[in-house]
Amino acid sequence: MEDFIRILHTLAKAKIEFVVIGGFAATLHGSTYVTRDVDICARLDDETVKLLRSALAELRPLHRMTDPRLSFLVHPSFTAGLKNLYLQTDSGVLDVLTEVAGIGMFEEVARHAETGEIQGVPIRIISLADLINCKETVGRDKDLLVAKELRAIAALRGIPVPPPPAQPGKSADT
């Protein structure tokens, strides 16, 4: 069973710098989208990986893209150049990305992030405008549907959001 709140509380308690992104961020912003993982953006330097390993140890993290699934607690032993982690934990799937499409690296995502709270724990969440930009940049059908819903939420809240990027092969007024 997914317990994304437990994952996020574990990361926050360990003082790991991260920003919630993706579908769970959309849900936190008010979307009705249901997600099966929690995505965060963070640096994946040696110190952060060390903190992640320590914090997630009780959740038994495994690399979900390896066969057999290797323990994140020992693999990879060399973290230089690590860009993303795709983990399966006892509390659900956690994806750790160093870059967000349409926004940039962790520092840029964090610069515009909003501060929220989940059951009394402060959490940084990708800004609504950045999340919409990301979803539209990725451009998968499910992302475009979520972006459309998030645009409606932004309009209701009076949050200005730049117009969507032009679709390839279409003019801006079609």
Side-chain angles (χ1 to χ4, degrees):
M1 179 174 166
E2 292 87 23
D3 187 355
F4 302 143
I5 294 171
R6 180 178 181 202
I7 292 172
L8 295 175
H9 281 191
T10 299
L11 298 175
K13 192 164 103 175
K15 304 223 184 295
I16 295 169
E17 286 189 81
F18 69 93
V19 176
V20 180
I21 60 173
F24 197 69
T27 301
L28 294 173
H29 279 296
S31 171
T32 58
Y33 178 72
V34 176
T35 185
R36 293 194 166 113
D37 66 356
V38 65
D39 303 302
I40 64 169
C41 184
R43 287 181 213 91
L44 284 176
D45 54 28
D46 288 339
E47 183 60 27
T48 304
V49 170
K50 181 180 172 184
L51 288 171
L52 282 167
R53 284 184 168 141
S54 176
L56 295 173
E58 68 184 49
L59 301 180
R60 300 181 327 166
L62 301 173
H63 292 279
R64 62 185 178 87
M65 300 295 195
T66 61
D67 186 24
R69 291 189 174 183
L70 302 172
S71 172
F72 169 62
L73 301 179
V74 292
H75 296 285
S77 57
F78 182 74
T79 59
L82 190 60
K83 293 193 76 148
N84 301 317
L85 290 171
Y86 303 99
L87 303 174
Q88 175 68 52
T89 75
D90 287 350
S91 289
V93 173
L94 170 65
D95 292 342
V96 183
L97 310 177
T98 58
E99 185 174 6
V100 174
I103 310 305
M105 303 302 284
F106 170 75
E107 289 73 18
E108 188 63 23
V109 176
R111 182 181 348 268
H112 302 117
E114 300 173 11
T115 301
E117 195 175 280
I118 298 177
Q119 294 180 352
V121 176
I123 302 285
R124 290 194 300 174
I125 305 160
I126 188 170
S127 73
L128 187 54
D130 280 355
L131 183 56
I132 292 167
N133 182 12
C134 170
K135 294 290 186 187
E136 291 174 344
T137 298
V138 172
R140 298 175 298 191
D141 288 344
K142 70 177 185 175
D143 292 308
L144 295 175
L145 286 171
V146 172
K148 185 175 181 179
E149 182 183 34
L150 292 173
R151 281 187 172 281
I153 291 168
L156 287 171
R157 294 181 183 165
I159 299 171
V161 179
Q167 297 275 331
K170 294 184 179 181
S171 67
D173 50 334
T174 56

